[in-house]
């Protein structure tokens, strides 16, 4: 192993996060008003992580082919063009109005240093997501989340591959109830997107121990993608693995074989219909019951 490469793949995750914080912490006000900026920043980082897969591959079996690339790309477009927009209209805006109507204020949060504000936003989003994700592995909500676990290889964009209901649900957060500058919230979202891309990437990283203590790595997340339903019940955190350490669900290790059941890769229509499988099975087994009674 070339030592320069080793240094690059040791530092690239923490340095990327530091640069994201620096960018949002120093971005001029006129730029922060551009709502497309967070989308562009997220896509640029994701593209960078995707490119790293060709520089230091983790597993040949996870190599991106055209079919995987097009499927992943479909979900990236779906997320940024549809799901995040629906989230704003159906959840974020109504929550902001409710906060205003109820007179909820957290003015103290506006006086914190920028890095603390971004860390607070990151923790609020991630802690909520941790519990929702854990609930998905322990309730009927599994039907919405299972398609994400049926992926048979990890790649940078795979964090966004899943059933649309799940993608909508995991984006929910209570952040709208807090008074925080938009730059801090965007910074947290950008960091979460970057860590999630790193944690799904087919890249051999050598993360510093302190980094892997706080942030989700591909080692920890690959273990969450282990074959077998019970084996997936660990390392739930999307970006802040600290949540698993605090809640007792952290497991050390990694997995190079990922997927569910017989590791059969699902097609996009199968991923979309997956939550309705119990209903479809019920209708198929009882076709007469749902027919209207005549005469
Ligand atoms: Zn999961
Ligand atoms: Zn995943």
């Amino acid at each position: 192993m070339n030592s320069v490469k080793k240094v690059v793949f040791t530092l690239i995750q923490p340095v990327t996060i530091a640069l994201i914080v620096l960018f949002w912490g120093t971005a001029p006000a006129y730029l922060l008003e551009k709502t497309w900026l967070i989308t562009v920043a997220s896509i640029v980082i994701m593209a960078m992580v995707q490119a790293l897969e060709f520089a230091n591959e983790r597993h040949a079996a996870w190599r991106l082919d055209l079919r995987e690339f097009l499927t992943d790309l479909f979900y990236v477009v779906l997320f940024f063009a549809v799901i995040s927009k629906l989230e704003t209209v159906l959840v974020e805006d109504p929550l902001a109005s409710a906060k205003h109507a109820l007179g909820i204020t957290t003015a103290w949060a506006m006086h914190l240093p920028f890095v603390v504000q971004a860390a607070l936003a990151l923790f609020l989003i991630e802690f909520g997501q941790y519990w929702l994700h854990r609930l998905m592995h322990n309730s009927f909500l599994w039907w919405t989340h299972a398609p994400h676990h049926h992926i048979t290889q990890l790649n940078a964009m795979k964090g966004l591959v899943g059933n649309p209901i799940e993608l909508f649900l995991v984006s929910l957060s209570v952040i709208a109830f807090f008074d925080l500058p938009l730059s801090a919230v965007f910074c947290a979202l950008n960091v979460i997107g970057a860590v999630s891309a790193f944690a799904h990437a087919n890249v051999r990283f050598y993360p510093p121990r302190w980094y892997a203590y706080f942030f989700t790595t591909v080692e920890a997340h690959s273990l969450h993608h282990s074959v077998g339903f019970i084996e997936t019940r660990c390392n739930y955190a999307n970006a802040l693995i600290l949540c698993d350490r605090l809640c007792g669900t952290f497991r050390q290790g990694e997995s190079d074989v990922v997927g569910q059941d017989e590791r059969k890769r699902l097609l996009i229509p199968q991923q979309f219909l997956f939550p309705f499988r119990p209903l479809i099975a019920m209708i198929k087994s009882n076709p007469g019951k749902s027919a209207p009674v005549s005469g």
Side-chain angles (χ1 to χ4, degrees):
M1 160 68 57
N2 163 337
S3 60
V4 174
K5 197 171 184 178
K6 180 97 192 242
V7 171
V8 168
F9 284 89
T10 297
L11 296 179
I12 197 147
Q13 294 179 103
V15 167
T16 303
I17 289 177
L19 290 175
I20 291 172
V21 174
L22 190 67
F23 173 74
W24 290 104
T26 58
Y30 79 91
L31 257 185
L32 293 171
E33 286 164 16
K34 315 282 184 206
T35 49
W36 47 262
L37 188 61
I38 178 64
T39 304
V40 171
S42 304
I43 291 173
V44 165
I45 300 274
M46 196 174 273
M48 179 203 83
V49 183
Q50 182 61 73
L52 292 178
E53 294 194 2
F54 302 98
N56 204 22
E57 185 175 71
R58 189 172 191 84
H59 300 299
W62 293 2
R63 195 171 297 159
L64 197 70
D65 59 19
L66 187 62
R67 184 177 67 161
E68 291 292 335
F69 174 72
L70 292 176
T71 305
D72 295 359
L73 193 62
F74 167 81
Y75 279 100
V76 171
V77 173
L78 178 75
F79 182 80
F80 288 108
V82 182
I83 293 174
S84 68
K85 300 276 182 290
L86 279 178
E87 198 82 33
T88 305
V89 175
L90 298 177
V91 183
E92 299 296 328
D93 291 350
L95 281 185
S97 304
K99 174 183 180 293
H100 186 70
L102 295 169
I104 300 169
T105 56
T106 62
W108 50 269
M110 290 300 275
H111 304 294
L112 298 169
F114 175 77
V115 174
V116 180
Q117 290 173 327
L120 176 65
L122 179 77
F123 182 77
L124 288 171
I125 296 169
E126 276 295 300
F127 198 59
Q129 223 177 60
Y130 166 85
W131 281 105
L132 192 62
H133 186 190
R134 193 168 163 178
L135 183 68
M136 284 178 168
H137 279 259
N138 293 275
S139 72
F140 70 94
L141 287 175
W142 170 251
W143 288 99
T144 68
H145 182 50
H148 179 63
H149 280 270
H150 275 78
I151 55 175
T152 52
Q153 62 183 78
L154 297 186
N155 301 102
M157 297 182 274
K158 289 284 196 293
L160 294 178
V161 175
N163 182 268
I165 300 170
E166 180 234 350
L167 298 174
F168 181 83
L169 290 177
V170 294
S171 304
L172 297 175
S173 88
V174 294
I175 198 80
F177 282 117
F178 286 78
D179 294 303
L180 282 166
L182 213 52
S183 55
V185 177
F186 284 167
C187 178
L189 291 173
N190 211 173
V191 168
I192 289 169
V195 176
S196 179
F198 284 133
H200 284 93
N202 181 21
V203 178
R204 176 79 44 198
F205 292 114
Y206 314 100
R209 274 178 53 188
W210 67 267
Y211 176 87
Y213 188 84
F214 288 99
F215 298 103
T216 306
T217 59
V218 65
E219 289 82 9
H221 197 64
S222 65
L223 204 58
H224 178 73
H225 275 273
S226 295
V227 182
F229 179 56
I230 301 297
E231 283 73 14
T232 63
R233 288 179 171 173
C234 65
N235 301 352
Y236 294 109
N238 182 37
L240 201 64
I241 201 74
L242 186 67
C243 297
D244 283 280
R245 294 186 190 276
L246 293 174
C247 300
T249 47
F250 176 75
R251 261 182 66 205
Q252 190 77 43
E254 65 176 292
S255 177
D256 56 348
V257 181
V258 300
Q260 279 298 293
D261 301 334
E262 289 85 39
R263 297 191 63 242
K264 193 174 167 294
R265 184 185 184 279
L266 298 181
L267 301 172
I268 293 172
Q270 293 171 318
Q271 289 166 332
F272 272 55
L273 286 174
F274 202 94
F276 308 105
R277 279 189 179 186
L279 187 68
I280 294 167
M282 204 169 76
I283 293 169
K284 275 186 180 165
S285 66
N286 255 332
K289 287 247 174 89
S290 56
V293 180
S294 61

